[in-house]
Structure formats: structure tokens, C-alpha cells
Amino acid sequence: MNDVLSIPCSAFAGFSLVAQGSVVDVALALRDLVMPVDAPPVLIFDDLSGGQIDLNLRGSTADVVRRLGEHPALLRLVASTDAAAVADGESDAPRGRGRPKLGVVAREVTLLPRHWDWLASQPGGASQALRRLVDQARKRDAGRTDERAARERAYRFISALAGDLPDFETASRALFAGDATAFAASIAAWPPDVRRHALRLAEINAA
């Protein structure tokens, strides 16, 4: 549950950032936040995927925390993040007998017989061979997958909050073209909190 509660989130009321931090801190801050009657609805975004999440803030602190620990979308985020962390930390060195390394995720892989035959002939067996192949592909990737993830994260956020702002289409095209300068320029007139958060999710450094 602790991993779920530490997921970074940001909450916006209209175009204003009203809470930011771990999901549990954001949830409790929003629960106690007094908003004007005519205030815009508060939208909550997780900063790992840029997606919008709905939180039930009713009840006591214990009630809120318990529901966060059982939140399906948050649990999926933790699972995907843990899988990536395990991949980063995997070693090619053979492991001794006993329990496998904690955090290893077992999933079905469908291959042709010749693929299984080749994997079985590799040092360490099929699992270690597959991990080595994935690690080699990730090194050749040279960060492109991370850049694509950042663009998608930023796009989810701006689609939900900034779709009606000026130059949204221009900003979207620049974002997916990987043109950081054009993206920053196209959102320069957006409300400051929205602009800064979009740049942060896209991992673009700008004033």
C-alpha cells in the first residue's frame, strides 16, 4: 500500500494548481479544501501517466487512505512502475538455487518452436536470454521510449485540461514531433500553472 500512497499527483481547479504531492497528501488536502460555491470542479491527475483519476474523499482519514490503497487505477500504476524498475535492476549473472528475485513478474510469452529451441540453448535458459535481449534493445533505444512516454503523459494532461486553450492543436503537433522549442512557444500564453505542469510532464526545461 505504501507504494500506492506515494504516487505523485497534481490537482487543478480550473486552470489553477491547488494541490500537488503524493496521492495521499493530495487527497487529504482536497478533502479539507474549502472552495467557493462557484469554483470550477477539481480534476486530479497522476504524474506518472498524466491520466485523470477519480478519488473518493468521503469519510475519515483512515477511510480515505484505505480506499487509496485499494484503488484499481493506482494499483495498476504501481505494478507497471515496479515492472520497469525490476527490468532496470536485473543482472545477467546467474542466480543460485532458491526463491527467484522478488519483483520478477511472470507473464505469458507466445513464441514459435524454433524460438523456444534457440532460447533453451542460451546460457541461463530462456528467461535470462529474454532479459538480455530486452536490455540490449533498451540500450539501443537511446531513451526514445522514455521520450515517447513523456510526450504521451503531457498529451493526456493537456487534452483533459487545455483542449479549449489557444493553439492547442499546434502544441499537440509540436509535442509529438519532439520539437520542445515549438511546444514551449505554442503554450506560452496558457495559464501559468497549466503551462508549467505540461512542460514538467513532457520533461522540457523552460522558464
Side-chain angles (χ1 to χ4, degrees), residues 86-180:
V86 167
D88 284 337
E90 275 296 320
S91 168
D92 287 341
R95 291 195 296 269
R97 299 171 66 87
R99 292 184 62 184
K101 182 177 179 179
L102 293 178
V104 172
V105 179
R107 293 180 181 171
E108 181 180 353
V109 176
T110 303
L111 299 173
L112 294 173
R114 66 176 182 272
H115 299 145
W116 286 118
D117 291 342
W118 183 85
L119 287 170
S121 70
Q122 301 305 301
S127 294
Q128 286 197 29
L130 283 171
R131 286 195 289 269
R132 285 195 296 272
L133 290 171
V134 171
D135 285 341
Q136 290 167 9
R138 293 176 72 243
K139 290 176 182 176
R140 290 195 298 269
D141 180 77
R144 288 187 293 272
T145 297
D146 291 340
E147 291 173 2
R148 183 168 62 250
R151 291 195 294 266
E152 292 172 352
R153 182 168 57 236
Y155 183 73
R156 291 189 191 100
F157 168 70
I158 66 174
S159 294
L161 199 60
D164 293 329
L165 291 178
D167 295 321
F168 171 80
E169 295 297 337
T170 301
S172 299
R173 287 193 294 270
L175 179 64
F176 282 106
D179 191 335

